[in-house]
Amino acid sequence: MIQRVTVPALFPPPAYSHASVVEAGTKLAFLAGAVPLDERGEIVGPGDPVRQAERVIANLRAQLQAVGSDLAHVLTTEVYVASTEPATLSAVWEVVENSGLSEGPHSSTLLGVACLGYTGQLVEITATAVVPDDREDAGSTGDARDGGDGGDGGDTRNAGGAADAGVRR
């Protein structure tokens, strides 16, 4: 269902694929940016981009669960970090890698930006994901290593998860 492609002629990406291809007719979810707010609308981890990234991933899981998907079905993300320091971006990316998102591996862009929408907000992640139909398990996309449909040059791996309620701006 999902073909993850790393292009041999390009420099290999550290923990994502260059492209994700989905067969026509597949249901997709285009998610609003997941932000580091708790259930009361308070910023989690003020001043701490790693803590905020952890909350953003938890909120992203909740958004995915609400539409019948999960981290394993994420095709692409944009990771925004309010910082000009590469070390800060790397620390946030490590949270993304450890979340299971990189197990796809999905296609991603990591950006340092001047500011984000909420006062004190340091991290935001937008995502596009496949919403599997009833015939497919929401926690698995198959694995090219054990007979899955990874496709030519692609690689699919398993990840999953669910979390608490999503956040609305």
Side-chain angles (χ1 to χ4, degrees), residues 126-162:
T126 62
T128 302
V130 168
V131 178
D133 63 25
D134 293 340
R135 294 168 294 173
E136 183 182 359
D137 175 273
S140 174
T141 60
D143 189 322
R145 292 170 298 164
D146 45 26
D149 62 347
D152 257 352
D155 182 22
T156 55
R157 298 185 189 142
N158 297 328

Side-chain angles (χ1 to χ4, degrees), residues 49-74:
V50 169
R51 178 68 188 104
Q52 286 194 17
E54 292 166 348
R55 182 56 187 232
V56 166
I57 293 293
N59 289 348
L60 180 61
R61 280 188 179 115
Q63 288 174 281
L64 290 162
Q65 182 182 20
V67 299
S69 193
D70 58 25
L71 292 177
H73 288 87
V74 170

Side-chain angles (χ1 to χ4, degrees), residues 6 11-18 77 93-94 96-109 157:
T6 299
F11 185 78
Y16 57 89
S17 61
H18 289 118
T77 60
W93 185 252
E94 188 172 324
V96 172
E97 283 185 302
N98 293 334
S99 73
L101 273 169
S102 65
E103 292 181 29
H106 70 295
S107 302
S108 188
T109 300
R157 298 185 189 142

